[in-house]
Amino acid sequence: MLFRWILTFAAISQAAILQPQSPRSNGRPSLQVAPKHPYRPLPQSPKRNKTCVVKSHDDGVTDDSQYFLNALHQCNDGGHVLLPEDKKYIIGTALNLTFLNHIDIELQGYLQFTNDTDYWQANSFRQIFQNVTTFWQLGGTDVNFYGGGTIDGNGQVWYDLYAQNIYILRPVLLGTIGLQSGSFVNLNLRYSPEYYNFVANSTNVLFSGISISGFSKSNNTAKNTDGWDTYRSSNIVIQNSTINNGDDCVSFKPNSTEMLVQNLHCNGSHGISVGSLGQYVGETDIVENVYVYNISMSNATDGARIKVWPGSPAELSGDLQGGGGTGMVNNITYDTMHVTNVDYAIEVTQCYGQSNLTLCNEYPSNLTISNILMEGITGTTSTKYEPISGYVVCSSENVCSNITVQGVDVTTPTGVTNQFTCGDVDEGLLMNINCTNTNKGSN
């Protein structure tokens, strides 16, 4: 009798061990913004009342887009969609997710876009800025995306293809389009074909704890891999993140207002940039009320950067031309940045894309730059512009005002400190800066 009981107990115990565990949520992470606060408080996001677990073919080949889409529809309007950590999801279909409403997406697992470049060039979502396209569009109201998982853009095939044809349309990894309140927290973004984030027509959105990385494994460089580009958006927070990329760490494109960026580690980038602006004739670009705080910038072309197109057409590359637009840059603060091996610690230029400075000055920019504060910028520059470590040059004294630089301590490899190229600015506001007319050009 005792022997049979022992066998029965053992069988039950073994069955319990073999019983598959239901996927579990780790819960929505904290959404605190600190130490600086957003320009306006971010809306509160209520708790969710149901959970939908996304199925996967889990073979690394078959498209799981429909499974994902089904779960989003099922749990929209108050639910929580879970992609478990032991699953790999393949997305081979362009998904318009701008219908999302009061929903959490918890990606614990691995989500990868297919490498079908012909399909994505034909079907990715074309945005209204430059030649931007996106794999998908995430938008709606009150959407939280988190979980510690990975989104992989399969970028290598795109890096190699772009080396052959600069006019191909490379999708952005994460397109936040028309999102009114939401968050992206604790996500790993890898191998984007172009930008990692394009945030357009959105407001009240937080990005925190984002890891960005993905360099080319061939001789073909991963280009235009900006960490974030914001466009026609307001009250956006980007914080507590690490970015290893090959273009702007963060870029405030036209009509970006009330932007807070803090506590970032940027490596290999083109700096944290306002612009480029004034690219298109007949359009008015505004970037206003931006605060950038506590940044580490390494192995970059720039630290703090403002880049504006000239008043006449210019060509930076075959797929990037412009100039002649209007607008303004106003009330921008860069506060506390440490730079290591950057070409310019600070760069302000109104000749972006124009290497002919005489022509640029003949047709000065139509954009005004005013009320700029750059303070607490320290560290070392590269050898590229030795002995110059900064560049603050406007195309006309009539379009720049109140550009203040203070508390700067930047040294070149040969030990020259705070020597800047200056032009058409009030040098009295460039405190402890040694201005020179020597102009080795802008980035």
Side-chain angles (χ1 to χ4, degrees), residues 111-415:
L111 186 151
Q112 185 180 55
F113 291 96
T114 61
N115 61 3
D116 187 345
T117 57
D118 289 337
Y119 171 83
W120 290 114
Q121 288 188 81
N123 294 281
S124 59
F125 296 97
R126 297 198 178 195
Q127 307 302 328
I128 58 175
F129 178 70
Q130 293 181 339
N131 296 318
V132 175
T133 67
T134 58
F135 280 122
W136 50 1
Q137 299 188 128
L138 285 92
T141 302
D142 182 26
V143 179
N144 300 302
F145 200 146
Y146 54 87
T150 298
I151 303 174
D152 183 341
N154 230 325
Q156 188 62 55
V157 65
W158 295 97
Y159 311 150
D160 294 337
L161 188 60
Y162 183 72
Q164 301 171 23
N165 179 8
I166 64 172
Y167 299 104
I168 65 167
L169 298 176
R170 296 161 293 157
V172 170
L173 186 63
L174 188 54
T176 303
I177 313 298
L179 178 58
Q180 310 308 314
S181 82
S183 65
F184 297 82
V185 181
N186 299 342
L187 295 170
N188 302 297
L189 308 184
R190 297 290 183 264
Y191 303 106
S192 180
E194 197 176 30
Y195 310 162
Y196 280 85
N197 289 276
F198 183 60
V199 185
N201 301 307
S202 299
T203 188
N204 299 327
V205 181
L206 167 66
F207 295 85
S208 187
I210 306 298
S211 169
I212 288 176
S213 187
F215 296 103
S216 176
K217 297 177 182 177
S218 73
N219 292 327
N220 300 317
T221 304
K223 294 186 176 182
N224 310 117
T225 52
D226 301 31
W228 282 267
D229 279 24
T230 63
Y231 176 72
R232 293 185 178 178
S233 296
S234 64
N235 208 36
I236 307 298
V237 178
I238 302 169
Q239 67 172 20
N240 303 339
S241 298
T242 300
I243 301 93
N244 292 282
N245 68 332
D247 211 299
D248 295 318
C249 188
V250 180
S251 178
F252 309 109
K253 300 300 188 187
N255 305 308
S256 297
T257 60
E258 299 178 328
M259 300 280 153
L260 172 62
V261 174
Q262 60 185 348
N263 305 335
L264 301 188
H265 293 276
C266 305
N267 178 58
S269 79
H270 293 179
I272 295 187
S273 303
V274 173
S276 63
L277 304 174
Q279 183 174 0
Y280 301 112
V281 174
E283 294 194 9
T284 300
D285 297 344
I286 296 172
V287 174
E288 188 172 33
N289 300 331
V290 173
Y291 204 104
V292 178
Y293 176 73
N294 191 32
I295 307 298
S296 170
M297 184 72 64
S298 303
N299 308 311
T301 64
D302 294 278
R305 187 183 193 190
I306 298 175
K307 50 182 177 176
V308 172
W309 290 86
S312 62
E315 180 174 305
L316 187 63
S317 63
D319 58 343
L320 186 60
Q321 311 91 27
T326 63
M328 71 173 184
V329 176
N330 182 54
N331 193 28
I332 312 297
T333 297
Y334 290 88
D335 176 3
T336 309
M337 176 183 291
H338 187 75
V339 300
T340 304
N341 192 38
V342 303
D343 298 336
Y344 282 141
I346 293 173
E347 179 178 0
V348 178
T349 179
Q350 291 184 312
C351 293
Y352 184 68
Q354 178 58 273
S355 58
N356 186 332
L357 296 180
T358 301
L359 185 61
C360 180
N361 292 330
E362 184 178 352
Y363 299 96
S365 174
N366 298 317
L367 269 90
T368 61
I369 300 176
S370 60
N371 302 315
I372 311 300
L373 174 61
M374 298 180 175
E375 64 177 348
I377 298 177
T378 62
T380 58
T381 57
S382 70
T383 59
K384 182 174 182 178
Y385 296 113
E386 177 80 50
I388 297 170
S389 54
Y391 188 96
V392 183
V393 179
C394 291
S395 57
S396 166
E397 61 184 9
N398 298 321
V399 291
C400 287
S401 63
N402 198 25
I403 298 177
T404 300
V405 175
Q406 62 187 27
V408 170
D409 185 6
V410 180
T411 305
T412 66
T414 59

Side-chain angles (χ1 to χ4, degrees), residues 13-22:
S13 299
Q14 183 67 18
I17 292 172
L18 296 176
Q19 184 69 27
Q21 297 293 314
S22 298

